[in-house]
C-alpha cells in the first residue's frame, strides 16, 4: 500500500506492507535510489505493519519494486500502474 503526503516542494511516499508477508527483511528499490537493495528497508510500525518513507519531487513518475529475503522481487498492487516489469507511482 502507498500513503502520500503532499508537501510544498515534495511528496512523501510511505511504502507499507504487512508485518510478516513476505517474511524477513524487505526493501523498496527503484529509480529514486538507483535500484540499491537495502537503501530503503521497511521498518516495523506500532500497528504491526512495516513501512519506509521516501521524499520525491512533486509531479514526477517513478518505477519501483520490493525486494525480500531470498532474492524475491514483487510489485505493489496498489501502485498507480505497472509497466510489465515494475510498479509505477506518480507524485
Amino acid at each position: 500500500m502507498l500513503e502520500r503526503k503532499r508537501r510544498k516542494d515534495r511528496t512523501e511516499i510511505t511504502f507499507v506492507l504487512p508485518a510478516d508477508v513476505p517474511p524477513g527483511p524487505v526493501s523498496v528499490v527503484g529509480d529514486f535510489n538507483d535500484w540499491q537493495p537495502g537503501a530503503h528497508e521497511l521498518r516495523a510500525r506500532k500497528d504491526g505493519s512495516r513501512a519506509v518513507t521516501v521524499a520525491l519531487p512533486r509531479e514526477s513518475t517513478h518505477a519501483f519494486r520490493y525486494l525480500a529475503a531470498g532474492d524475491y522481487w514483487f510489485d505493489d498492487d496498489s501502485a498507480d500502474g505497472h509497466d510489465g516489469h515494475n510498479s509505477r507511482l506518480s507524485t
Side-chain angles (χ1 to χ4, degrees):
M1 177 175 68
L2 302 174
E3 298 173 351
R4 293 174 167 91
K5 288 186 184 174
R6 298 197 90 166
R7 304 293 186 197
K8 182 179 179 181
D9 61 344
R10 68 191 183 287
T11 300
E12 294 175 354
I13 306 292
T14 302
F15 299 87
V16 183
L17 293 175
D20 57 354
V21 179
V26 177
S27 58
V28 61
V29 293
D31 55 15
F32 48 83
N33 63 12
D34 293 325
W35 300 94
Q36 291 296 313
H40 292 101
E41 187 172 329
L42 282 73
R43 303 284 181 206
R45 298 198 310 186
K46 291 178 185 177
D47 67 2
S49 63
R50 295 177 287 180
V52 65
T53 300
V54 179
L56 299 172
R58 290 193 59 177
E59 299 184 22
S60 59
T61 302
H62 300 276
F64 73 96
R65 295 193 82 194
Y66 295 104
L67 176 60
D71 201 35
Y72 173 63
W73 291 86
F74 62 102
D75 293 315
D76 191 319
D77 292 336
S78 70
D80 297 331
H82 297 87
D83 65 11
H85 297 288
N86 303 307
S87 298
R88 308 286 296 170
L89 69 88
S90 298
T91 58

